[in-house]
């Protein structure tokens, strides 16, 4: 897959503020004159949004971890084919709210020892890593409180509880330690303005 643009992702546990910060970075970069595609996973393309509904709504026990990995990978493949790869080929900046690191942690680690399966499918069907990944870090109790305040029906993972979110946080930290060149650990418990400023500065450094 030829890549001319820049691929940036946001990761973290539920309620850490990724969507807000991804949107703010997109606005900052657009104001600076860059072509930016802001997208999210699961979803981001018509087919992947249909799969999203299957994944984020309903009972926690609805899918096994293995089935989820296949559904997330199918959604991601469609998203990469239809949206991400064409935008990168056109030289745009793509900002994605979650990507494969979420599957590595949510399905690969927190729901079972399935990282080999996630990485194997990623290598075979996706084969794309971000240049930069912002890991928005926050205590699970604070993040869950934020998520609950937001409301909505998309709470399947939030409903798995605080212990699950604690495992997720540890999993994200392990990924960040293993790929320090790509990850930036951001303290997301601070004022959103300060978080946005740090993220914008890191991105400017990479663009320069
Ligand atoms: P969102 O709330 O960030 O939009 O994500 C929806 C839920 O899907 C969230 O609880 C995390 C979960 N998820 C996974 O379990 N694995 C994945 O690969 C992705 C992209 C999301």
């Amino acid at each position: 897959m030829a890549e001319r643009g820049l691929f940036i992702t946001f990761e973290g546990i539920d309620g850490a503020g990724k969507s807000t910060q991804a949107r703010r970075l997109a606005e900052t970069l657009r104001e600076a004159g860059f072509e930016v595609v802001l997208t999210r996973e699961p979803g981001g393309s018509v087919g992947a949004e249909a799969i999203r509904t299957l994944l984020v709504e309903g009972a926690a026990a609805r899918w096994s971890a293995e089935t989820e990995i296949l559904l997330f990978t199918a959604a991601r493949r469609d998203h990469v084919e239809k949206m991400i790869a064409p935008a990168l080929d056109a030289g745009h900046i793509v900002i994605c709210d979650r990507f494969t690191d979420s599957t590595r942690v949510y399905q690969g680690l927190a729901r079972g020892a399935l990282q080999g399966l996630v990485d194997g499918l990623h290598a075979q069907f996706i084969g794309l890593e971000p240049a930069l990944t912002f890991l928005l870090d926050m205590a699970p109790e604070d993040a869950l409180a934020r998520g609950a305040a937001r409301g909505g029906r998309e709470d399947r993972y939030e409903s798995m509880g605080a212990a699950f979110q604690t495992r997720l946080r540890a999993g994200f930290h392990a990924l960040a330690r293993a790929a320090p060149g790509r990850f930036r650990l951001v303290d997301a418990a601070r004022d959103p303005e300060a978080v946005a400023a740090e993220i914008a500065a890191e991105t400017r450094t990479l663009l320069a």
Side-chain angles (χ1 to χ4, degrees), residues 37-53 71-86 94 96-99 126:
V37 172
L38 175 62
T39 186
R40 69 166 183 181
E41 290 211 344
S45 60
V46 175
E49 287 289 336
I51 298 174
R52 177 187 177 95
T53 308
L71 287 169
F72 277 113
T73 305
R76 183 162 303 127
R77 173 74 197 201
D78 191 64
H79 188 205
V80 170
E81 278 178 11
K82 307 264 171 56
M83 287 273 303
I84 297 177
V94 175
C96 194
D97 182 352
R98 297 195 184 279
F99 196 63
I126 311 297

Side-chain angles (χ1 to χ4, degrees), residues 6 8-9 13 27 45 48 58 64 72 79 87 91 93 97 123 151 186 191:
L6 181 68
I8 301 174
T9 58
I13 62 175
E27 284 162 7
S45 60
S64 70
F72 277 113
H79 188 205
I93 297 176
D97 182 352
V186 178
D191 165 37

Side-chain angles (χ1 to χ4, degrees), residues 59-186:
R62 185 176 185 187
W63 309 111
S64 70
E66 288 83 351
T67 308
E68 282 184 15
I69 290 169
L70 294 169
L71 287 169
F72 277 113
T73 305
R76 183 162 303 127
R77 173 74 197 201
D78 191 64
H79 188 205
V80 170
E81 278 178 11
K82 307 264 171 56
M83 287 273 303
I84 297 177
L88 292 176
D89 286 345
H92 300 335
I93 297 176
V94 175
I95 299 175
C96 194
D97 182 352
R98 297 195 184 279
F99 196 63
T100 307
D101 294 320
S102 280
T103 320
R104 290 183 174 120
V105 170
Y106 279 75
Q107 285 70 42
L109 264 180
R111 296 203 64 202
L114 296 170
Q115 269 195 313
L117 182 57
V118 175
D119 286 334
L121 289 169
H122 180 78
Q124 200 169 354
F125 293 107
I126 311 297
L128 173 69
E129 291 293 349
L132 187 60
T133 298
F134 291 106
L135 174 52
L136 298 201
D137 187 50
M138 184 184 263
E141 311 77 55
D142 299 342
L144 271 179
R146 272 203 201 179
R150 203 176 40 184
R153 290 167 49 192
E154 293 192 342
D155 65 348
R156 193 168 152 257
Y157 291 93
E158 276 140 319
S159 75
M160 294 183 193
F164 180 67
Q165 298 290 329
T166 300
R167 284 203 298 281
L168 295 175
R169 187 187 196 193
F172 277 122
H173 282 178
L175 284 187
R177 276 196 302 276
R182 169 164 76 86
F183 274 95
R184 300 289 181 278
L185 188 68
V186 178

